[in-house]
Amino acid sequence: MVWNLCGLLFFAFFLSITLATLTPFQCVLNPNGRASMVSDPGIMCYESGEHLVMLGLAVFGILSQPAAILGWATYAIILYPSRVASGHGLRVVNRYRFMFHRFKVENYYYGLVLLYRNGLVALLPIVLVDLPELQVPLLGSILLASLALQAHTSPWRTAQANLIDLLLTTFLLVLLLGAAPLLTTDFQGSASVFGWLLCVPLLGMLLAGGLALSVAAVNHFLPRSMFGIFLCHHKEGAGSLCRLMKILIARHSSTRVFLDCDQLENLDLLFDTVRTCTRSVVVVLTPELLRRVGAGGAGGPLLACLPCLL
């Protein structure tokens, strides 16, 4: 109970904690060429002993709080599938209840997405302290990407929670648009920055088009197999075994496995699938496989293997 309560508090106040620990690094240049802290202009950055002490405390705070929280959450999320598969899933879910119980099972990772989003939001005013005209579009891009992902996956367990998240993120975007004209910027520098920003979509479209053409050319001249493994088996003698094999292969590899009961709509093209779209044929040699050449699994298991074996 205490563990989950502490985790929930860290999760809820992660953005505030990160902003507070990064404050000593938020320095802005003065007309005399020296930098001072934004929160306290009387403290010279990287020069005064007071600021050096604050930097030391900030580094300790970053390592012990935001960095530790992100590392801890990333470790828990990465190990979640393997621990669930090993039978320890209930223990993991109970231990990290604050991270998993608010999201759907298939979107167990979404808590980590929120943490990294908040971390990026906290870093922007630190890294781009002298470029407010760049902070606004980048912050808007982060919020827009988060909004698109949330709308596509609907990760929260209830429809009301998904709707509230959408409305809050949209409100933040509207608020950002309203606050943008209030920024004090260097017009000459801003023009240069906006010029580069306008080049990004154009270069992005050219890059995407070139990449699409390259992929199309590679697929045309070097066609890849649709399936990495074709499981040739007798349905009654090894149907359950092949299902288990496909599950285990999918868990540890990205190789696509052809199992007849999963591709029932294309059984008329079974021979062509084995001949042209399969890299390897795995024959599950049960006694029934060689006794029933024209019947059983995969439309006649042995006949299905012959085009590839010959």
Side-chain angles (χ1 to χ4, degrees):
M1 183 65 179
V2 176
W3 178 272
N4 278 285
L5 182 59
C6 293
L8 184 61
L9 290 175
F10 274 121
F11 197 95
F13 295 102
F14 179 78
L15 179 58
S16 301
I17 293 172
T18 306
L19 283 172
T21 54
L22 291 174
T23 298
F25 294 96
Q26 192 174 19
C27 300
V28 63
L29 285 176
N30 296 320
N32 61 1
R34 302 171 67 185
S36 61
M37 288 183 58
V38 174
S39 58
D40 193 344
I43 299 178
M44 295 295 105
C45 292
Y46 311 107
E47 296 181 12
S48 63
E50 185 178 5
H51 187 255
L52 294 177
V53 172
M54 294 178 67
L55 286 179
L57 294 175
V59 171
F60 175 77
I62 292 171
L63 295 178
S64 62
Q65 296 179 55
I69 295 171
L70 280 178
W72 170 39
T74 303
Y75 176 78
I77 294 293
I78 290 176
L79 291 184
Y80 178 81
S82 60
R83 287 183 176 178
V84 170
S86 67
H88 300 291
L90 184 60
R91 183 184 304 175
V92 173
V93 171
N94 287 332
R95 179 179 299 175
Y96 301 102
R97 181 178 175 82
F98 67 93
M99 191 180 301
F100 297 121
H101 80 288
R102 294 176 297 170
F103 307 108
K104 297 176 183 176
V105 176
E106 60 271 21
N107 303 115
Y108 65 91
Y109 57 85
Y110 197 75
L112 190 63
V113 173
L114 294 179
L115 286 178
Y116 275 100
R117 183 198 68 179
N118 292 340
L120 289 175
V121 170
L123 278 175
L124 281 180
I126 308 299
V127 177
L128 302 174
V129 63
D130 292 321
L131 295 171
E133 63 274 10
L134 195 55
Q135 291 182 36
V136 173
L138 287 180
L139 180 57
S141 300
I142 293 173
L143 293 177
L144 191 60
S146 173
L147 181 67
L149 179 63
Q150 196 274 334
H152 177 69
T153 59
S154 297
W156 302 90
R157 286 187 178 272
T158 63
Q160 293 82 356
N162 285 300
L163 179 60
I164 291 173
D165 193 5
L166 281 172
L167 292 177
L168 286 177
T169 307
T170 304
F171 173 74
L172 288 176
L173 284 170
V174 173
L175 190 64
L176 183 66
L177 291 174
L182 303 177
L183 295 175
T184 302
T185 59
D186 177 12
F187 291 101
Q188 185 175 0
S190 299
S192 176
V193 171
F194 283 124
W196 283 106
L197 286 178
L198 291 175
C199 291
V200 170
L202 179 60
L203 294 176
M205 288 188 292
L206 293 176
L207 182 62
L211 183 61
L213 291 175
S214 301
V215 171
V218 170
N219 291 335
H220 178 75
F221 293 105
L222 297 173
R224 294 180 296 177
S225 299
M226 184 181 301
F227 298 98
I229 296 175
F230 182 97
L231 289 176
C232 178
H233 69 289
H234 184 270
K235 190 181 297 293
E236 183 179 355
S240 299
L241 174 61
C242 288
R243 171 61 63 187
L244 177 61
M245 291 173 63
K246 182 173 181 177
I247 292 174
L248 293 177
I249 292 172
R251 184 177 298 170
H252 301 286
S253 171
S254 59
T255 301
R256 292 192 64 193
V257 178
F258 185 98
L259 189 61
D260 59 341
C261 58
D262 293 339
Q263 280 85 22
L264 294 175
E265 69 277 4
N266 292 324
L267 290 182
D268 292 340
L269 304 176
L270 188 60
F271 284 7
D272 289 335
T273 299
V274 178
R275 181 174 59 86
T276 63
C277 303
T278 303
R279 187 181 301 114
S280 304
V281 173
V282 176
V283 183
V284 183
L285 288 174
T286 54
E288 296 86 352
L289 184 77
L290 301 178
R291 293 177 183 174
R292 300 177 64 188
V293 177
L302 191 57
L303 287 177
C305 300
L306 287 177
C308 186
L309 297 177
L310 294 177

